[in-house]
Amino acid sequence: PNFGILDKDESDQLGLTGFAIYPVHKYELDNDEENWQVLTGLPTPHGQELVGVNLANYFSCSLFSMNGRNKYSSESGTIQETGETERFSMSMIYGINENDLFRRKKTVQQIYNANYRFAKPPEKPILKAIPGDGKVTLFWDDRAEKTFDAFYQRINFEGYRIYRSTEPNFIENKIITDAFGKATYREPIAQFDLVDNEKGLHPIDVNGALFYLGNDTGLKHSFIDSTVQNGQTYYYAVSAYDKGFTTINIEGSFEGIPPSETTTILKQDINGIVTTDINTAVITPAAPAAGYIPPQIQSFEGSGPGTGKVSLTILDPDSVKNFNTYRLVFSENSIYHNAEIPQYSLINTTSNDTLINEKLTDGSIQTAVKDGITIDIKNDTTVSIDFDNSKWIDGNSNYIVQVGFDSRFQAAYQGRRIFYPADFEIHIMEPGMGDLSYPSSTFSQPIQSNIIIRNITDENEHQQFIFRDENKNTLFDDGDAVFIIFGDSVGKPVTNNSNLHASWSVSIFNDTTLTEENRIHPEFGDIYKVVTKKPFRNGEFFEFTTKAQDLDLSKAKSDLDNIAVVPNPYVGAASWEKFSNEVGRGERKIYFVNLPNVCTIRIYTISGKLVNTIEHSSTIANGQESWDLVSRDAMDISYGVYVFHVDAPSIGEKIGRFAIVK
């Protein structure tokens, strides 16, 4: 990129040769001769500042030829002219004061010196926002997480930030200033980042302000904001940001690049019309219509021994299907069911459609939204002993039991150690009635025991084990240990030392803090349970059925009593009304809430004169209608008490009052 005409530092660059700043209409753009004179002239400083007028600028770079290079054509035998390209670079720099202007100029110069090759933020996530009753639900895709950064030559994604504002420019969020007092960073209402130990404040500052990378919360692709007020318009944005870059120089101090964050653009024109970007949204939460029944998850149940957690959240009520059944299935190819990265699939068994089929790369993930639902999966990726639940479950023995990997077996079986994800029960039997221990070496004989070990996860009534009988009394007692063993695969017995794989060891000891008379020895009928934390294994599944949102007419009739006006009384203004410097005060507005989805609202004076009629027709999820306090004669109403009448066909009627105080 730095070769030949693409080299920004080639000496044939002309640079800026002309500049003029002037009141608009001093030069009209349709006068070519005048334009030529201004553009080819040298910049002349003005004797005074141009204040209080609309300004226009001319920038020019001249003179260079666009007549083309001479080139011989073998076909015609003549000299022909061809077009050529001239490249130029230009920056326009603005600042809140002189110092800020020169700091920005320094940044722009660095970008130019790098030949415009610099770190860029990840792709913008595609956001969808759903209004609810006293809440707003946001969810977005994962495209930002797959963005390859050509500058870093890797995927450098780190996390998401969620912003909320009551004005489209998010000025009220931009409260984190730099060392010069300039607003630099916005405060998010939520932040989700990768679990990768990239957390806290990034060490590279922007004029003294440090970017907060997060706290290894784990990624989410949804957020429910339950701190909103019905009727208030909110502006939301979800940004993605990268890790930045740091290194330590020879002096031992940090240097590098601060994180880059995607833009969050919302544009509002003078008429109040807002244009959003793919990662921004404008939402007004509202109560649902009278008789509304929200979508539901029914008969959620799972199978299999996995100790992870699976939970469902409805994010998009309109997309939930009626009486569809889904199955979340896990698969893995590990011989001993302890693969760290199983596959998971979400299948709509009603339509026989596979909606998701991906690797469970992280221990905790949130799936993409499918048919209005997202699934949170927390997989126990590390097989380990659950010490809180491993204990004596039958009998009164107070012997101390240690579960894990006994150091006495460390050298013999370290190379063939497996962390097998299953729960076991050690049953104390009568002397001589237990299972035979597998011989601990090729030259030893099976050892009689008084225990039976059951693999209750795999329903194996007689799990193989090695018995270390310290006092050679064939009893599992003080100082003894057992080692649970497996063959080359699940269900395949150990037949020789070459296919023996050692798993958990269980050692038993007297409690030396107790006197002999207070020690309760294990006896026939006692059971000790070993519990492990287990990943989801092959064939394990969770199944659930969905029920779509609905409208119940009988419920709608009883809900008529909830119809109300907010605020009531209306005193001068409401919190959701807008004011701007450009247009001053916006329209006044009250809301009728908890309405049936189709109804007629009539508003009367206290003496019975009809003021206005409003036809309300909405989805069943919206039971709200606004009124701008303007009569049917296009006049602002006066203060006083008013009566409203709601007529909902086939449902019923409601009469109420509200007051206007100006």
Side-chain angles (χ1 to χ4, degrees), residues 171-190:
I171 296 174
E172 63 190 52
N173 305 90
K174 208 166 190 178
I175 60 174
I176 303 171
T177 62
D178 63 12
F180 301 98
K182 178 176 176 290
T184 304
Y185 291 130
R186 294 173 293 178
E187 182 180 25
I189 60 172

mmCIF file of all heavy atoms in Angstrom, residues 171-190:
data_model
loop_
_atom_site.group_PDB
_atom_site.id
_atom_site.type_symbol
_atom_site.label_atom_id
_atom_site.label_comp_id
_atom_site.label_asym_id
_atom_site.label_seq_id
_atom_site.Cartn_x
_atom_site.Cartn_y
_atom_site.Cartn_z
ATOM 1 N N ILE A 171 -26.571 12.512 24.992
ATOM 2 C CA ILE A 171 -25.729 13.480 25.697
ATOM 3 C C ILE A 171 -25.781 13.251 27.199
ATOM 4 O O ILE A 171 -24.781 13.404 27.907
ATOM 5 C CB ILE A 171 -26.174 14.920 25.340
ATOM 6 C CG1 ILE A 171 -25.939 15.185 23.842
ATOM 7 C CG2 ILE A 171 -25.424 15.944 26.190
ATOM 8 C CD1 ILE A 171 -26.465 16.516 23.367
ATOM 9 N N GLU A 172 -26.947 12.850 27.709
ATOM 10 C CA GLU A 172 -27.085 12.655 29.150
ATOM 11 C C GLU A 172 -26.244 11.487 29.661
ATOM 12 O O GLU A 172 -25.987 11.367 30.852
ATOM 13 C CB GLU A 172 -28.556 12.431 29.512
ATOM 14 C CG GLU A 172 -29.167 11.189 28.915
ATOM 15 C CD GLU A 172 -30.677 11.147 29.103
ATOM 16 O OE1 GLU A 172 -31.357 12.117 28.748
ATOM 17 O OE2 GLU A 172 -31.157 10.127 29.612
ATOM 18 N N ASN A 173 -25.799 10.597 28.743
ATOM 19 C CA ASN A 173 -24.942 9.474 29.137
ATOM 20 C C ASN A 173 -23.464 9.814 29.110
ATOM 21 O O ASN A 173 -22.653 9.122 29.727
ATOM 22 C CB ASN A 173 -25.175 8.279 28.216
ATOM 23 C CG ASN A 173 -26.627 7.858 28.149
ATOM 24 O OD1 ASN A 173 -27.364 8.347 27.307
ATOM 25 N ND2 ASN A 173 -27.040 6.988 29.041
ATOM 26 N N LYS A 174 -23.101 10.844 28.361
ATOM 27 C CA LYS A 174 -21.686 11.149 28.156
ATOM 28 C C LYS A 174 -21.173 11.978 29.325
ATOM 29 O O LYS A 174 -20.970 13.193 29.246
ATOM 30 C CB LYS A 174 -21.487 11.883 26.831
ATOM 31 C CG LYS A 174 -20.115 11.659 26.212
ATOM 32 C CD LYS A 174 -20.084 12.100 24.766
ATOM 33 C CE LYS A 174 -18.796 11.665 24.080
ATOM 34 N NZ LYS A 174 -18.753 12.035 22.655
ATOM 35 N N ILE A 175 -20.921 11.288 30.428
ATOM 36 C CA ILE A 175 -20.578 11.976 31.668
ATOM 37 C C ILE A 175 -19.143 11.705 32.094
ATOM 38 O O ILE A 175 -18.680 12.263 33.083
ATOM 39 C CB ILE A 175 -21.537 11.566 32.798
ATOM 40 C CG1 ILE A 175 -21.452 10.052 33.043
ATOM 41 C CG2 ILE A 175 -22.965 11.978 32.478
ATOM 42 C CD1 ILE A 175 -22.262 9.582 34.231
ATOM 43 N N ILE A 176 -18.430 10.837 31.372
ATOM 44 C CA ILE A 176 -17.048 10.516 31.740
ATOM 45 C C ILE A 176 -16.121 11.433 30.959
ATOM 46 O O ILE A 176 -16.041 11.364 29.731
ATOM 47 C CB ILE A 176 -16.733 9.040 31.440
ATOM 48 C CG1 ILE A 176 -17.721 8.138 32.196
ATOM 49 C CG2 ILE A 176 -15.300 8.707 31.828
ATOM 50 C CD1 ILE A 176 -17.638 6.678 31.820
ATOM 51 N N THR A 177 -15.426 12.310 31.665
ATOM 52 C CA THR A 177 -14.611 13.325 31.007
ATOM 53 C C THR A 177 -13.139 12.934 31.013
ATOM 54 O O THR A 177 -12.702 12.087 31.803
ATOM 55 C CB THR A 177 -14.771 14.690 31.706
ATOM 56 O OG1 THR A 177 -14.315 14.565 33.063
ATOM 57 C CG2 THR A 177 -16.221 15.129 31.701
ATOM 58 N N ASP A 178 -12.377 13.578 30.129
ATOM 59 C CA ASP A 178 -10.933 13.365 30.120
ATOM 60 C C ASP A 178 -10.254 14.361 31.060
ATOM 61 O O ASP A 178 -10.928 15.099 31.794
ATOM 62 C CB ASP A 178 -10.386 13.442 28.694
ATOM 63 C CG ASP A 178 -10.577 14.824 28.067
ATOM 64 O OD1 ASP A 178 -10.912 15.786 28.795
ATOM 65 O OD2 ASP A 178 -10.383 14.944 26.844
ATOM 66 N N ALA A 179 -8.945 14.396 31.011
ATOM 67 C CA ALA A 179 -8.198 15.270 31.925
ATOM 68 C C ALA A 179 -8.420 16.743 31.627
ATOM 69 O O ALA A 179 -8.109 17.599 32.462
ATOM 70 C CB ALA A 179 -6.711 14.942 31.845
ATOM 71 N N PHE A 180 -8.964 17.061 30.449
ATOM 72 C CA PHE A 180 -9.205 18.454 30.068
ATOM 73 C C PHE A 180 -10.661 18.852 30.284
ATOM 74 O O PHE A 180 -11.084 19.919 29.850
ATOM 75 C CB PHE A 180 -8.812 18.668 28.610
ATOM 76 C CG PHE A 180 -7.370 18.345 28.326
ATOM 77 C CD1 PHE A 180 -7.014 17.119 27.796
ATOM 78 C CD2 PHE A 180 -6.367 19.256 28.619
ATOM 79 C CE1 PHE A 180 -5.687 16.804 27.540
ATOM 80 C CE2 PHE A 180 -5.040 18.953 28.365
ATOM 81 C CZ PHE A 180 -4.695 17.726 27.837
ATOM 82 N N GLY A 181 -11.450 17.964 30.912
ATOM 83 C CA GLY A 181 -12.838 18.279 31.194
ATOM 84 C C GLY A 181 -13.766 18.067 30.023
ATOM 85 O O GLY A 181 -14.937 18.464 30.077
ATOM 86 N N LYS A 182 -13.285 17.422 28.971
ATOM 87 C CA LYS A 182 -14.105 17.193 27.783
ATOM 88 C C LYS A 182 -14.815 15.842 27.920
ATOM 89 O O LYS A 182 -14.209 14.836 28.242
ATOM 90 C CB LYS A 182 -13.231 17.203 26.534
ATOM 91 C CG LYS A 182 -13.966 16.928 25.232
ATOM 92 C CD LYS A 182 -13.004 17.051 24.059
ATOM 93 C CE LYS A 182 -13.683 16.699 22.743
ATOM 94 N NZ LYS A 182 -13.981 15.268 22.646
ATOM 95 N N ALA A 183 -16.133 15.840 27.687
ATOM 96 C CA ALA A 183 -16.896 14.592 27.740
ATOM 97 C C ALA A 183 -16.349 13.615 26.707
ATOM 98 O O ALA A 183 -16.283 13.915 25.523
ATOM 99 C CB ALA A 183 -18.369 14.877 27.486
ATOM 100 N N THR A 184 -15.945 12.424 27.166
ATOM 101 C CA THR A 184 -15.249 11.470 26.299
ATOM 102 C C THR A 184 -15.987 10.149 26.175
ATOM 103 O O THR A 184 -16.180 9.642 25.077
ATOM 104 C CB THR A 184 -13.831 11.216 26.833
ATOM 105 O OG1 THR A 184 -13.135 12.461 26.935
ATOM 106 C CG2 THR A 184 -13.056 10.275 25.924
ATOM 107 N N TYR A 185 -16.386 9.576 27.300
ATOM 108 C CA TYR A 185 -17.033 8.268 27.278
ATOM 109 C C TYR A 185 -18.435 8.365 27.870
ATOM 110 O O TYR A 185 -18.704 9.162 28.771
ATOM 111 C CB TYR A 185 -16.232 7.233 28.070
ATOM 112 C CG TYR A 185 -14.914 6.862 27.441
ATOM 113 C CD1 TYR A 185 -13.731 6.879 28.185
ATOM 114 C CD2 TYR A 185 -14.838 6.487 26.096
ATOM 115 C CE1 TYR A 185 -12.522 6.527 27.616
ATOM 116 C CE2 TYR A 185 -13.633 6.138 25.520
ATOM 117 C CZ TYR A 185 -12.480 6.162 26.282
ATOM 118 O OH TYR A 185 -11.285 5.818 25.707
ATOM 119 N N ARG A 186 -19.314 7.478 27.367
ATOM 120 C CA ARG A 186 -20.675 7.397 27.899
ATOM 121 C C ARG A 186 -20.763 6.288 28.951
ATOM 122 O O ARG A 186 -20.055 5.294 28.872
ATOM 123 C CB ARG A 186 -21.673 7.098 26.769
ATOM 124 C CG ARG A 186 -21.794 8.219 25.760
ATOM 125 C CD ARG A 186 -22.656 7.797 24.588
ATOM 126 N NE ARG A 186 -22.026 6.745 23.803
ATOM 127 C CZ ARG A 186 -22.590 6.165 22.750
ATOM 128 N NH1 ARG A 186 -23.808 6.518 22.382
ATOM 129 N NH2 ARG A 186 -21.951 5.227 22.079
ATOM 130 N N GLU A 187 -21.651 6.479 29.899
ATOM 131 C CA GLU A 187 -21.866 5.466 30.917
ATOM 132 C C GLU A 187 -22.972 4.524 30.453
ATOM 133 O O GLU A 187 -24.104 4.951 30.228
ATOM 134 C CB GLU A 187 -22.252 6.098 32.249
ATOM 135 C CG GLU A 187 -22.441 5.080 33.352
ATOM 136 C CD GLU A 187 -22.836 5.720 34.669
ATOM 137 O OE1 GLU A 187 -23.406 6.824 34.648
ATOM 138 O OE2 GLU A 187 -22.587 5.102 35.717
ATOM 139 N N PRO A 188 -22.685 3.223 30.303
ATOM 140 C CA PRO A 188 -23.715 2.285 29.858
ATOM 141 C C PRO A 188 -24.617 1.862 31.009
ATOM 142 O O PRO A 188 -24.244 1.968 32.185
ATOM 143 C CB PRO A 188 -22.902 1.108 29.331
ATOM 144 C CG PRO A 188 -21.648 1.130 30.154
ATOM 145 C CD PRO A 188 -21.363 2.588 30.444
ATOM 146 N N ILE A 189 -25.798 1.352 30.666
ATOM 147 C CA ILE A 189 -26.679 0.795 31.702
ATOM 148 C C ILE A 189 -26.383 -0.684 31.906
ATOM 149 O O ILE A 189 -26.812 -1.269 32.904
ATOM 150 C CB ILE A 189 -28.166 1.004 31.362
ATOM 151 C CG1 ILE A 189 -28.530 0.329 30.031
ATOM 152 C CG2 ILE A 189 -28.512 2.476 31.332
ATOM 153 C CD1 ILE A 189 -30.021 0.334 29.746
ATOM 154 N N ALA A 190 -25.662 -1.300 30.965
ATOM 155 C CA ALA A 190 -25.255 -2.697 31.104
ATOM 156 C C ALA A 190 -24.053 -2.942 30.208
ATOM 157 O O ALA A 190 -23.863 -2.242 29.204
ATOM 158 C CB ALA A 190 -26.396 -3.649 30.741
#
